[in-house]
Amino acid sequence: MNDPTQPTKRLVKLSPQELRKLAEIQVKKNKDNKQAALNEASVQKLLHELQVHQIELEMQNDELQQARITEQLHYRYTELFEFAPIAYFIFDQRGKITQVNLRGSNLLGIERVHLVGKSFVNYITIPHRNNFKDCLAKVFQHKGIQSFEILVHANNTTRWLSIEANLGITGIDCLAALIDVTEKKQAENEQKLAASVFTYAREGIMITDNKSNIIDVNDSFTRITGYSREEAIGQNQRFLQSSKETPEFFYGIYQALKKDRNWSGEIWNRRKNGEVYAEMATISAVCNEHGIATHYIALVNDITPMKEHQNQLEKIAHYDVLTNLPNRVLLADRLSQAMLQCSRHKHLLAVVFLDLDGFKAVNDTHCHDVGDELLIALSVRMKEALREGDTLARIGGDEFVAILTDLDKVEDCEPVLERLLLAASEPITVTNVIFHLSASIGITIYPQDNANADQLVRHADQAMYVAKGSGKNCYHLFDTAQDDAVKMHQENLEAIRNALDHHQFVLHYQPKVNLKTGIVTGVEALIRWQHPQRGLLNPIDFLPVIENNPMNIEVGEWVIDSALTQISEWKKMGLSLLNISVNIAAVQLQQSSFTQTLTSLLAAHPDVEPRYLELEVLETSALDDINHISNIMHDCIALGVNFALDDFGTGYSSLTYLRRLPASMIKIDQSFVQDMLIDVEDLAIVESVIALAKSFKRGVIAEGVESIEHCKAILELGCDLAQGNGIAKPMPASDIPAWVNQWNPDVSWQTQ
Ligand code: C2E
Ligand code: MG
Ligand code: MG
């Protein structure tokens, strides 16, 4: 296709002179041809024809030119429309798309063939359709250019379009230019959101430059600080600081911002009205592309009410409502702190437990309000009696605890204690009644009493009871040595309880023999504690601990039961002739239920004949009521068991016992036997006991026979029965059968 803008053949326009020349030439030519004369008329005529022709030609030429220009314009318009960087749509009056350019179809993502003829509202989101319709109507009402923004939804995307629509020249088209403003709109929305966050945030927001000069603040900032935006802008944020925070605190914030780019925590600032308030602040640095902080944004919340509430709660939790003195909780805290400090400074500390004497009577005879008044007045007095730095706490009705710190020696607390006693005992007038009270005080000294805070208070409390017991209105110092012993005893008791529960007790057996006949007459059951850490323990290591404890009886019963079980087992093995003697504690025997218990134990072992059981009663044990014991022994003997008097000769009333108690056997105490070879007095005692036994028709056995010489000596004195390490040491039950089988007395003894 030729470019219509390029001219092809140009028509030559002749001047009048040239036309006349042309006419003359033509007339001459005709004359030459037709022999016609050249006259002016012919020339004029021809000239006229030529002029007419010329005019016709010119006219033709203009039309052509015009058509060409029109064609050029159309081409330009099409090009402009088609390739314009803006989307163009042409709508008819009903909003149908009659034309759309390439950009327009790209904008909606729909090919033009599918767009032309379609109603444009189809692509508009429902809420915006009327907007389009209204504007379209205005265009056709000749109301000029209409600008509006609508949200379209085409090809699965939603886009914001800005439209400018105007009426076409013909008056039947609406020409519209559409621009995609989605991104702009989003940015605008984001900005609006950011602005509204800033405006409506409940947190106060303060923006500063990197020199801490305030650039902007929001309404909440004004609400919190009392400073308007205008008053705040331009100020350095330091103008809010209160003297409650130290320069070190702000230096800490500065360091955190430098290192972490943000800091959050509590700050005490000052409002415009001078009031100091607490705020929870989060400060963040805004950095440029080089990582340098250009601005700081602080978000602050006023937490003063919360703090006040917290303080109130703390007060309730830590102070006694009536006297306003620290309560038990705060006392524990203060005491722990004071203990730490005293340890650090190598000082002493006194815990003073004070209980009012006679306060209960006041409460009972007067109304409680009077009691309360009295407590308040006394607590004020007692507080005044203390030194600065000491603590007085109320931990119960009329119970107070004072902590006296930084004492060099125990005596240093005496003046304070005297003042406390005086404070409590001086007459006090409440509601026109004069009251005379006093206080009992218990003290313990830390770290001499090296206990924890709780225990210290308890120890002072214990000492207070001693003071009460010693006539009140005085003080008593806690005895740590005594407490240690009590504690140790308690621990030992618990360990023995545990040993019983975990079957850690065992019986060892020491043979008793007839030196003359060589017969093993029996064995003595001796308790041992198979301690998991300390190994095998002897009775002296643990029996004294339970001497006055009910566990003593429990252990005793366990021993009898185990011995009976052992007799039964040996019987099954053919060792039926062995009798077992069991040691009985005095308290056990004194039990009125002893006979009953023994009956039950024997009944539990029906295969064991009671005569094989011998009960050894300690001669030394203070058998208070000898009649009672005698009766019990008789009852037991009726059951078939026998008695022996153990360690005979060591008590004060050996003869009385011998006469009154129905024991069939006397065991000469080993202390006499052991020394009889070197000590004539002991020899004499042994001799006498043997003689006594014979006179009273009791059997006699020598204990603690440590050597062959001892055996010979007692045989010579007429005692055939013996027991001792010289014959056999106590041994586990399992060793007894083998020992019995192998034992042979010295041949010489049989002849003695
Ligand atoms: P005991 O009843 O007079 O028992 C004899 C004690 O003398 C035993 O000590 C025994 O090992 C020791 N012994 C025996 N022969 C000799 C010797 O030749 N030389 C020396 N130095 N000692 C000898 P053990 O077993 O330590 O018992 C001590 C005491 O504990 C017993 O004296 C007894 O009174 C008491 N006991 C032992 N077992 C029980 C028990 O089950 N219940 C009660 N209530 N007391 C028991
Ligand atoms: Mg004994
Ligand atoms: Mg003994």
Side-chain angles (χ1 to χ4, degrees):
M1 187 184 157
N2 283 335
D3 183 352
T5 59
Q6 295 301 312
T8 46
K9 207 168 28 173
R10 277 202 47 90
L11 286 172
V12 182
K13 193 180 174 204
L14 299 175
S15 64
Q17 289 78 13
E18 284 169 332
L19 270 174
R20 178 156 185 101
K21 192 85 185 158
L22 191 65
E24 282 173 359
I25 291 166
Q26 196 62 43
V27 169
K28 200 171 173 191
K29 214 166 142 187
N30 286 347
K31 192 181 154 192
D32 288 349
N33 288 346
K34 295 172 195 175
Q35 305 293 311
L38 179 71
N39 57 25
E40 185 59 26
S42 308
V43 171
Q44 282 301 324
K45 190 179 166 222
L46 200 60
L47 186 61
H48 177 72
E49 280 173 12
L50 277 171
Q51 279 173 338
V52 170
H53 186 66
Q54 170 89 11
I55 287 164
E56 277 175 5
L57 276 174
E58 272 181 15
M59 278 177 66
Q60 275 178 14
N61 204 9
D62 279 354
E63 271 169 30
L64 198 62
Q65 280 287 85
Q66 197 59 46
R68 284 223 174 95
I69 287 166
T70 307
E71 197 180 349
Q72 275 176 26
L73 280 173
H74 185 258
Y75 181 81
R76 287 264 174 243
Y77 160 75
T78 310
E79 190 185 45
L80 193 63
F81 181 79
E82 199 56 31
F83 300 109
I86 293 174
Y88 287 121
F89 278 74
I90 300 176
F91 306 115
D92 67 9
Q93 278 202 358
R94 283 177 299 154
K96 262 200 188 141
I97 303 165
T98 57
Q99 266 194 70
V100 55
N101 69 354
L102 196 59
R103 180 80 184 190
S105 87
N106 287 345
L107 187 67
L108 296 187
I110 299 168
E111 280 186 40
R112 260 185 292 185
V113 281
H114 301 304
L115 280 174
V116 175
K118 298 279 161 42
S119 190
F120 187 63
V121 282
N122 290 342
Y123 306 108
I124 301 173
T125 54
I126 293 167
H128 289 225
R129 284 183 180 173
N130 282 342
N131 195 9
F132 171 74
K133 286 179 189 166
D134 292 349
C135 289
L136 192 68
K138 282 182 187 159
V139 166
F140 284 104
Q141 287 159 18
H142 296 267
K143 288 196 173 162
I145 298 173
Q146 299 295 317
S147 304
F148 55 99
E149 286 181 347
I150 52 167
L151 193 63
V152 297
H153 183 83
N155 204 17
N156 290 329
T157 58
T158 306
R159 322 253 355 134
W160 274 100
L161 299 181
S162 166
I163 300 181
E164 289 221 336
N166 201 7
L167 196 61
I169 293 172
T170 56
I172 57 165
D173 288 327
C174 169
L175 313 178
L178 283 68
I179 299 171
D180 187 342
V181 289
T182 313
E183 262 101 57
K184 190 182 115 215
K185 201 85 178 161
Q186 274 169 356
E188 265 174 26
N189 284 346
E190 278 165 20
Q191 254 180 352
K192 259 192 221 160
L193 188 67
S196 61
V197 167
F198 184 77
T199 310
Y200 300 113
R202 272 208 51 78
E203 288 84 9
I205 302 176
M206 175 173 72
I207 303 172
T208 69
D209 62 14
N210 57 4
K211 302 270 183 312
S212 296
N213 295 318
I214 299 174
I215 290 175
D216 205 354
V217 296
N218 68 350
D219 292 352
S220 294
F221 173 91
T222 301
R223 177 174 47 77
I224 295 169
T225 63
Y227 289 106
S228 71
R229 187 166 175 269
E230 292 69 30
E231 286 169 325
I233 288 176
Q235 296 263 26
N236 190 288
Q237 60 85 26
R238 276 195 297 273
F239 88 118
L240 293 167
Q241 286 175 9
S242 74
S243 51
K244 251 194 158 183
E245 306 292 8
T246 59
E248 291 75 40
F249 173 76
F250 291 109
Y251 184 69
I253 299 179
Y254 168 74
Q255 288 293 326
L257 285 173
K258 211 166 128 188
K259 185 167 159 272
D260 308 327
R261 300 291 183 213
N262 66 68
W263 176 88
S264 64
E266 290 178 16
I267 307 181
W268 287 94
N269 271 344
R270 190 184 299 279
R271 295 190 222 275
K272 189 180 171 184
N273 63 9
E275 191 182 301
V276 174
Y277 70 101
E279 64 180 29
M280 173 56 85
T282 302
I283 306 174
S284 307
V286 181
C287 299
N288 64 14
E289 64 273 22
H290 307 297
I292 294 165
T294 56
H295 295 86
Y296 293 101
I297 301 176
L299 271 86
V300 297
N301 263 317
D302 187 352
I303 53 165
T304 319
M306 202 178 86
K307 280 262 162 197
E308 278 165 4
H309 186 59
Q310 202 175 321
N311 281 347
Q312 266 175 353
L313 287 181
E314 256 168 43
K315 184 121 184 95
I316 293 168
H318 291 120
Y319 287 87
D320 169 44
V321 189
L322 181 70
T323 58
N324 232 3
L325 291 175
N327 64 9
R328 193 181 279 274
V329 179
L330 187 56
L331 171 77
D333 191 48
R334 295 243 178 116
L335 184 52
S336 307
Q337 301 276 344
M339 287 164 75
L340 275 178
Q341 221 163 9
C342 278
S343 306
R344 222 174 286 142
H345 299 145
K346 307 237 175 321
H347 281 160
L348 304 179
L349 169 156
V351 178
V352 178
F353 197 107
L354 187 149
D355 187 282
L356 295 176
D357 306 319
F359 180 74
K360 195 178 172 297
V362 175
N363 247 358
D364 290 346
T365 45
H366 299 80
C367 65
H368 274 254
D369 289 351
V370 175
D372 285 355
E373 286 292 313
L374 200 58
L375 284 174
I376 293 168
L378 279 173
S379 64
V380 171
R381 263 198 204 174
M382 290 192 297
K383 204 166 164 26
E384 282 167 1
L386 297 182
R387 303 161 312 160
E388 203 180 322
D390 292 341
T391 295
L392 180 68
R394 180 178 175 228
I395 62 163
D398 61 349
E399 291 174 338
F400 297 83
V401 171
I403 309 169
L404 314 182
T405 51
D406 294 332
L407 305 170
D408 288 327
K409 46 193 187 313
V410 181
E411 298 79 59
D412 287 355
C413 64
E414 282 172 7
V416 185
L417 297 173
E418 293 294 348
R419 287 205 298 272
L420 273 175
L421 285 177
L422 194 68
S425 60
E426 277 195 335
I428 190 159
T429 312
V430 169
T431 56
N432 295 326
V433 185
I434 301 172
F435 292 95
H436 295 272
L437 297 178
S438 63
S440 296
I441 296 176
I443 314 115
T444 193
I445 306 287
Y446 174 85
Q448 290 179 1
D449 181 0
N450 201 4
N452 64 29
D454 234 26
Q455 287 165 339
L456 286 177
V457 175
R458 235 177 302 134
H459 291 168
D461 186 12
Q462 282 172 29
M464 184 278 292
Y465 272 101
V466 179
K468 270 232 187 270
S470 342
K472 301 174 181 169
N473 195 18
C474 64
Y475 57 82
H476 181 84
L477 186 65
F478 177 73
D479 185 343
T480 49
Q482 187 195 12
D483 184 63
D484 286 349
V486 170
K487 249 188 253 159
M488 173 76 90
H489 180 66
Q490 206 56 39
E491 278 170 22
N492 287 340
L493 279 180
E494 276 165 32
I496 293 172
R497 171 81 264 159
N498 185 55
L500 256 177
D501 295 344
H502 292 88
H503 313 292
Q504 289 171 0
F505 291 119
V506 288
L507 289 181
H508 278 201
Y509 297 90
Q510 188 174 38
K512 296 184 287 183
V513 296
N514 186 316
L515 297 170
K516 222 172 198 169
T517 61
I519 292 170
V520 179
T521 56
V523 290
E524 179 176 2
L526 296 160
I527 193 167
R528 300 285 180 268
W529 178 359
Q530 189 62 61
H531 195 284
Q533 283 87 37
R534 295 163 64 198
L536 198 66
L537 301 183
N538 284 325
I540 188 71
D541 297 324
F542 56 94
L543 285 188
V545 177
I546 54 169
E547 204 174 330
N548 298 311
N549 188 279
M551 249 190 293
N552 200 354
I553 290 157
E554 205 178 326
V555 168
E557 285 174 14
W558 174 85
V559 173
I560 296 173
D561 190 48
S562 303
L564 290 171
T565 307
Q566 195 56 61
I567 296 173
S568 165
E569 276 177 23
W570 279 333
K571 192 179 168 192
K572 280 179 204 143
M573 294 167 73
L575 279 172
S576 55
L577 288 175
L578 276 189
N579 96 6
I580 294 188
S581 51
V582 164
N583 294 283
I584 302 290
V587 280
Q588 194 179 356
L589 191 64
Q590 281 160 6
Q591 289 267 308
S592 52
S593 59
F594 182 74
T595 319
Q596 184 55 47
T597 308
L598 187 64
T599 310
S600 310
L601 288 167
L602 287 168
H605 301 275
D607 58 329
V608 178
E609 281 180 58
R611 69 186 168 102
Y612 286 111
L613 182 67
E614 184 179 61
L615 303 178
E616 293 189 9
V617 182
L618 269 189
E619 198 253 66
T620 43
S621 52
L623 300 173
D624 298 337
D625 186 347
I626 204 154
N627 279 333
H628 175 61
I629 296 293
S630 172
N631 289 339
I632 292 176
M633 285 171 77
H634 277 294
D635 291 346
C636 294
I637 290 166
L639 294 173
V641 300
N642 295 305
F643 280 91
L645 281 181
D646 205 355
D647 298 358
F648 191 81
T650 52
Y652 299 110
S653 329
S654 304
L655 285 176
T656 314
Y657 289 137
L658 181 61
R659 195 167 59 82
R660 302 278 303 276
L661 299 178
S664 52
M665 182 68 72
I666 291 172
K667 297 189 85 174
I668 312 170
D669 187 69
Q670 54 176 286
S671 59
F672 308 125
V673 178
Q674 274 158 20
D675 293 345
M676 63 184 277
L677 299 181
I678 48 167
D679 189 326
V680 284
E681 286 178 357
D682 283 342
L683 178 69
I685 291 174
V686 174
E687 206 174 354
S688 324
V689 174
I690 294 169
L692 262 176
K694 288 202 170 137
S695 321
F696 281 84
K697 298 198 171 40
R698 313 285 171 91
V700 62
I701 179 167
E703 291 188 306
V705 175
E706 289 191 326
S707 64
I708 291 176
E709 283 69 38
H710 284 95
C711 292
K712 281 182 189 161
I714 58 157
L715 272 171
E716 271 172 22
L717 295 175
C719 174
D720 300 347
L721 302 177
Q723 174 191 349
N725 292 351
I727 299 158
K729 286 185 176 176
M731 62 188 90
S734 53
D735 292 353
I736 288 290
W739 185 88
V740 171
N741 280 338
Q742 60 83 52
W743 186 71
N744 276 316
D746 200 292
V747 195
S748 62
W749 300 344
Q750 293 166 13
T751 55
Q752 274 187 303

